[in-house]
Short mmCIF file of all heavy atoms in Angstrom, two decimals:
data_model
loop_
_atom_site.label_atom_id
_atom_site.label_comp_id
_atom_site.label_asym_id
_atom_site.label_seq_id
_atom_site.Cartn_x
_atom_site.Cartn_y
_atom_site.Cartn_z
N LEU N 1 15.78 -0.12 0.55
CA LEU N 1 14.93 -0.99 1.36
C LEU N 1 13.84 -1.60 0.49
O LEU N 1 13.48 -1.00 -0.52
CB LEU N 1 14.23 -0.22 2.52
CG LEU N 1 15.02 0.16 3.74
CD1 LEU N 1 14.10 1.02 4.67
CD2 LEU N 1 15.52 -1.04 4.49
N ARG N 2 13.40 -2.78 0.89
CA ARG N 2 12.26 -3.37 0.23
C ARG N 2 11.18 -3.57 1.27
O ARG N 2 11.39 -4.37 2.20
CB ARG N 2 12.60 -4.70 -0.47
CG ARG N 2 11.44 -5.19 -1.31
CD ARG N 2 11.78 -6.45 -2.09
NE ARG N 2 11.77 -7.65 -1.26
CZ ARG N 2 11.65 -8.88 -1.73
NH1 ARG N 2 11.57 -9.07 -3.04
NH2 ARG N 2 11.63 -9.91 -0.91
N LEU N 3 10.04 -2.95 1.07
CA LEU N 3 8.92 -3.17 1.95
C LEU N 3 8.03 -4.26 1.37
O LEU N 3 7.91 -4.39 0.16
CB LEU N 3 8.09 -1.88 2.06
CG LEU N 3 8.81 -0.64 2.58
CD1 LEU N 3 7.86 0.54 2.72
CD2 LEU N 3 9.57 -0.91 3.86
N SER N 4 7.43 -5.02 2.28
CA SER N 4 6.49 -6.10 1.87
C SER N 4 5.15 -5.82 2.48
O SER N 4 5.02 -5.31 3.61
CB SER N 4 7.01 -7.45 2.35
OG SER N 4 8.27 -7.76 1.81
N CYS N 5 4.13 -6.20 1.73
CA CYS N 5 2.72 -6.08 2.19
C CYS N 5 2.13 -7.48 1.93
O CYS N 5 1.82 -7.85 0.80
CB CYS N 5 2.00 -5.02 1.41
SG CYS N 5 0.20 -4.93 1.73
N ALA N 6 1.92 -8.20 3.02
CA ALA N 6 1.39 -9.58 2.90
C ALA N 6 -0.11 -9.54 3.21
O ALA N 6 -0.56 -9.00 4.20
CB ALA N 6 2.11 -10.48 3.90
N ALA N 7 -0.87 -10.17 2.31
CA ALA N 7 -2.35 -10.17 2.42
C ALA N 7 -2.86 -11.55 2.80
O ALA N 7 -2.29 -12.56 2.42
CB ALA N 7 -2.97 -9.72 1.10
N SER N 8 -3.94 -11.58 3.53
CA SER N 8 -4.63 -12.82 3.90
C SER N 8 -6.12 -12.53 4.13
O SER N 8 -6.52 -11.37 4.25
CB SER N 8 -3.99 -13.41 5.18
OG SER N 8 -4.21 -12.55 6.25
N GLY N 9 -6.90 -13.62 4.10
CA GLY N 9 -8.28 -13.52 4.47
C GLY N 9 -9.24 -13.30 3.33
O GLY N 9 -10.45 -13.33 3.51
N SER N 10 -8.76 -13.06 2.13
CA SER N 10 -9.64 -12.89 0.99
C SER N 10 -8.84 -13.14 -0.26
O SER N 10 -7.63 -13.35 -0.20
CB SER N 10 -10.23 -11.47 0.99
OG SER N 10 -11.22 -11.36 -0.03
N THR N 11 -9.51 -13.11 -1.38
CA THR N 11 -8.84 -13.40 -2.66
C THR N 11 -8.02 -12.20 -3.10
O THR N 11 -8.47 -11.18 -3.57
CB THR N 11 -9.89 -13.74 -3.74
OG1 THR N 11 -10.72 -14.78 -3.31
CG2 THR N 11 -9.20 -14.17 -5.03
N PHE N 12 -6.73 -12.39 -2.94
CA PHE N 12 -5.76 -11.27 -3.16
C PHE N 12 -5.83 -10.76 -4.58
O PHE N 12 -5.68 -9.57 -4.84
CB PHE N 12 -4.38 -11.81 -2.80
CG PHE N 12 -3.24 -10.82 -3.02
CD1 PHE N 12 -3.14 -9.67 -2.29
CD2 PHE N 12 -2.29 -11.09 -3.99
CE1 PHE N 12 -2.10 -8.79 -2.49
CE2 PHE N 12 -1.24 -10.22 -4.19
CZ PHE N 12 -1.15 -9.09 -3.43
N ASP N 13 -6.08 -11.68 -5.51
CA ASP N 13 -5.99 -11.33 -6.96
C ASP N 13 -7.03 -10.27 -7.37
O ASP N 13 -6.90 -9.65 -8.40
CB ASP N 13 -6.26 -12.56 -7.81
CG ASP N 13 -5.14 -13.59 -7.69
OD1 ASP N 13 -4.18 -13.30 -6.94
OD2 ASP N 13 -5.20 -14.62 -8.35
N TYR N 14 -8.07 -10.07 -6.56
CA TYR N 14 -9.12 -9.12 -6.94
C TYR N 14 -8.82 -7.67 -6.57
O TYR N 14 -9.49 -6.76 -6.94
CB TYR N 14 -10.43 -9.50 -6.25
CG TYR N 14 -11.03 -10.80 -6.66
CD1 TYR N 14 -11.97 -11.46 -5.83
CD2 TYR N 14 -10.73 -11.38 -7.87
CE1 TYR N 14 -12.53 -12.65 -6.21
CE2 TYR N 14 -11.26 -12.57 -8.25
CZ TYR N 14 -12.18 -13.23 -7.41
OH TYR N 14 -12.73 -14.41 -7.79
N TYR N 15 -7.74 -7.47 -5.77
CA TYR N 15 -7.51 -6.19 -5.17
C TYR N 15 -6.35 -5.43 -5.77
O TYR N 15 -5.26 -5.96 -6.00
CB TYR N 15 -7.23 -6.33 -3.68
CG TYR N 15 -8.45 -6.81 -2.91
CD1 TYR N 15 -8.73 -8.14 -2.78
CD2 TYR N 15 -9.28 -5.91 -2.26
CE1 TYR N 15 -9.84 -8.58 -2.09
CE2 TYR N 15 -10.37 -6.33 -1.54
CZ TYR N 15 -10.67 -7.64 -1.47
OH TYR N 15 -11.76 -8.03 -0.74
N ALA N 16 -6.59 -4.12 -6.01
CA ALA N 16 -5.50 -3.22 -6.26
C ALA N 16 -4.83 -2.88 -4.94
O ALA N 16 -5.49 -2.84 -3.88
CB ALA N 16 -6.00 -1.92 -6.90
N ILE N 17 -3.55 -2.69 -4.93
CA ILE N 17 -2.76 -2.40 -3.75
C ILE N 17 -2.09 -1.05 -3.87
O ILE N 17 -1.48 -0.75 -4.96
CB ILE N 17 -1.72 -3.47 -3.46
CG1 ILE N 17 -2.36 -4.84 -3.35
CG2 ILE N 17 -0.94 -3.08 -2.18
CD1 ILE N 17 -3.29 -5.01 -2.15
N GLY N 18 -2.16 -0.25 -2.88
CA GLY N 18 -1.45 1.04 -2.85
C GLY N 18 -0.49 1.10 -1.73
O GLY N 18 -0.73 0.49 -0.63
N TRP N 19 0.57 1.84 -1.91
CA TRP N 19 1.52 2.20 -0.83
C TRP N 19 1.35 3.67 -0.52
O TRP N 19 1.29 4.50 -1.47
CB TRP N 19 2.95 1.89 -1.20
CG TRP N 19 3.32 0.45 -1.08
CD1 TRP N 19 3.42 -0.47 -2.07
CD2 TRP N 19 3.71 -0.22 0.11
NE1 TRP N 19 3.83 -1.66 -1.58
CE2 TRP N 19 4.00 -1.55 -0.23
CE3 TRP N 19 3.82 0.13 1.46
CZ2 TRP N 19 4.41 -2.50 0.71
CZ3 TRP N 19 4.22 -0.80 2.39
CH2 TRP N 19 4.49 -2.08 2.00
N PHE N 20 1.33 3.97 0.73
CA PHE N 20 1.13 5.34 1.21
C PHE N 20 2.16 5.63 2.31
O PHE N 20 2.73 4.68 2.88
CB PHE N 20 -0.28 5.55 1.74
CG PHE N 20 -1.34 5.21 0.72
CD1 PHE N 20 -1.75 3.89 0.56
CD2 PHE N 20 -1.89 6.16 -0.09
CE1 PHE N 20 -2.71 3.56 -0.39
CE2 PHE N 20 -2.82 5.85 -1.04
CZ PHE N 20 -3.24 4.55 -1.19
N ARG N 21 2.38 6.91 2.60
CA ARG N 21 3.26 7.24 3.68
C ARG N 21 2.70 8.41 4.43
O ARG N 21 1.93 9.23 3.88
CB ARG N 21 4.68 7.50 3.20
CG ARG N 21 4.83 8.68 2.27
CD ARG N 21 6.26 8.67 1.71
NE ARG N 21 6.49 9.77 0.74
CZ ARG N 21 7.61 9.93 0.08
NH1 ARG N 21 8.64 9.09 0.22
NH2 ARG N 21 7.72 10.99 -0.77
N GLN N 22 3.12 8.52 5.67
CA GLN N 22 2.63 9.59 6.54
C GLN N 22 3.80 10.21 7.29
O GLN N 22 4.48 9.52 8.04
CB GLN N 22 1.57 9.08 7.52
CG GLN N 22 0.83 10.16 8.29
CD GLN N 22 -0.40 9.65 8.99
OE1 GLN N 22 -0.52 8.47 9.24
NE2 GLN N 22 -1.30 10.53 9.32
N PHE N 23 3.97 11.52 7.05
CA PHE N 23 4.97 12.27 7.81
C PHE N 23 4.36 12.76 9.09
O PHE N 23 3.13 12.95 9.16
CB PHE N 23 5.46 13.46 6.95
CG PHE N 23 5.97 13.07 5.62
CD1 PHE N 23 5.30 13.42 4.44
CD2 PHE N 23 7.14 12.34 5.49
CE1 PHE N 23 5.78 13.09 3.21
CE2 PHE N 23 7.65 11.97 4.26
CZ PHE N 23 6.96 12.34 3.10
N PRO N 24 5.16 13.00 10.13
CA PRO N 24 4.59 13.46 11.43
C PRO N 24 3.76 14.72 11.23
O PRO N 24 4.19 15.69 10.62
CB PRO N 24 5.83 13.73 12.24
CG PRO N 24 6.90 12.82 11.68
CD PRO N 24 6.59 12.77 10.21
N GLY N 25 2.55 14.69 11.77
CA GLY N 25 1.68 15.85 11.72
C GLY N 25 1.01 16.09 10.41
O GLY N 25 0.33 17.13 10.26
N GLU N 26 1.14 15.19 9.46
CA GLU N 26 0.52 15.41 8.16
C GLU N 26 -0.40 14.24 7.80
O GLU N 26 -0.36 13.18 8.40
CB GLU N 26 1.61 15.56 7.09
CG GLU N 26 2.51 16.72 7.30
CD GLU N 26 3.49 16.97 6.15
OE1 GLU N 26 3.25 16.40 5.06
OE2 GLU N 26 4.48 17.68 6.35
N ASP N 27 -1.21 14.46 6.77
CA ASP N 27 -2.08 13.38 6.31
C ASP N 27 -1.29 12.39 5.49
O ASP N 27 -0.19 12.69 5.00
CB ASP N 27 -3.21 13.98 5.40
CG ASP N 27 -4.14 14.83 6.19
OD1 ASP N 27 -4.28 14.64 7.44
OD2 ASP N 27 -4.77 15.74 5.57
N ARG N 28 -1.86 11.23 5.33
CA ARG N 28 -1.19 10.20 4.50
C ARG N 28 -1.21 10.67 3.06
O ARG N 28 -2.19 11.29 2.59
CB ARG N 28 -1.93 8.86 4.60
CG ARG N 28 -1.74 8.23 5.92
CD ARG N 28 -2.47 6.91 6.01
NE ARG N 28 -2.52 6.44 7.42
CZ ARG N 28 -3.12 5.34 7.83
NH1 ARG N 28 -3.74 4.59 6.96
NH2 ARG N 28 -3.09 5.01 9.08
N GLU N 29 -0.11 10.33 2.33
CA GLU N 29 -0.03 10.64 0.90
C GLU N 29 0.25 9.41 0.14
O GLU N 29 0.90 8.47 0.62
CB GLU N 29 1.01 11.73 0.63
CG GLU N 29 2.46 11.26 0.92
CD GLU N 29 3.50 12.29 0.45
OE1 GLU N 29 3.22 13.49 0.48
OE2 GLU N 29 4.60 11.84 0.00
N GLY N 30 -0.19 9.40 -1.08
CA GLY N 30 0.04 8.26 -1.94
C GLY N 30 1.49 8.21 -2.41
O GLY N 30 2.13 9.24 -2.65
N VAL N 31 2.03 7.00 -2.54
CA VAL N 31 3.36 6.78 -3.01
C VAL N 31 3.35 6.02 -4.34
O VAL N 31 3.95 6.44 -5.30
CB VAL N 31 4.20 6.02 -1.98
CG1 VAL N 31 5.60 5.69 -2.53
CG2 VAL N 31 4.32 6.81 -0.68
N SER N 32 2.61 4.91 -4.37
CA SER N 32 2.60 4.06 -5.55
C SER N 32 1.41 3.14 -5.44
O SER N 32 0.81 2.97 -4.39
CB SER N 32 3.88 3.25 -5.60
OG SER N 32 3.91 2.41 -6.75
N CYS N 33 1.01 2.57 -6.60
CA CYS N 33 -0.06 1.59 -6.60
C CYS N 33 0.13 0.61 -7.74
O CYS N 33 0.88 0.91 -8.69
CB CYS N 33 -1.44 2.24 -6.68
SG CYS N 33 -1.82 3.02 -8.25
N ILE N 34 -0.51 -0.54 -7.62
CA ILE N 34 -0.47 -1.56 -8.70
C ILE N 34 -1.86 -2.14 -8.79
O ILE N 34 -2.52 -2.46 -7.77
CB ILE N 34 0.59 -2.61 -8.39
CG1 ILE N 34 0.74 -3.58 -9.55
CG2 ILE N 34 0.34 -3.33 -7.07
CD1 ILE N 34 2.02 -4.45 -9.45
N SER N 35 -2.30 -2.32 -10.00
CA SER N 35 -3.65 -2.86 -10.20
C SER N 35 -3.70 -4.37 -9.92
O SER N 35 -2.66 -5.01 -9.79
CB SER N 35 -4.11 -2.62 -11.65
OG SER N 35 -3.28 -3.29 -12.55
N ALA N 36 -4.92 -4.91 -9.84
CA ALA N 36 -5.08 -6.31 -9.51
C ALA N 36 -4.39 -7.23 -10.52
O ALA N 36 -3.82 -8.25 -10.14
CB ALA N 36 -6.59 -6.64 -9.37
#
């Protein structure tokens, strides 16, 4: 699968983006990230 994260409302280039996931009953955990 390919997930997409579309940003709007501010200058996207300034932001690092992270992907996280949450299993039922658990806290969110980090999956991956990419710097600005």
Side-chain angles (χ1 to χ4, degrees):
L1 281 176
R2 188 177 78 161
L3 304 183
S4 299
C5 173
S8 63
S10 187
T11 306
F12 177 67
D13 293 0
Y14 294 159
Y15 292 85
I17 303 294
W19 280 100
F20 303 85
R21 63 188 178 185
Q22 189 167 22
F23 305 112
E26 298 187 17
D27 293 335
R28 289 180 193 179
E29 67 171 32
V31 176
S32 181
C33 69
I34 186 166
S35 64

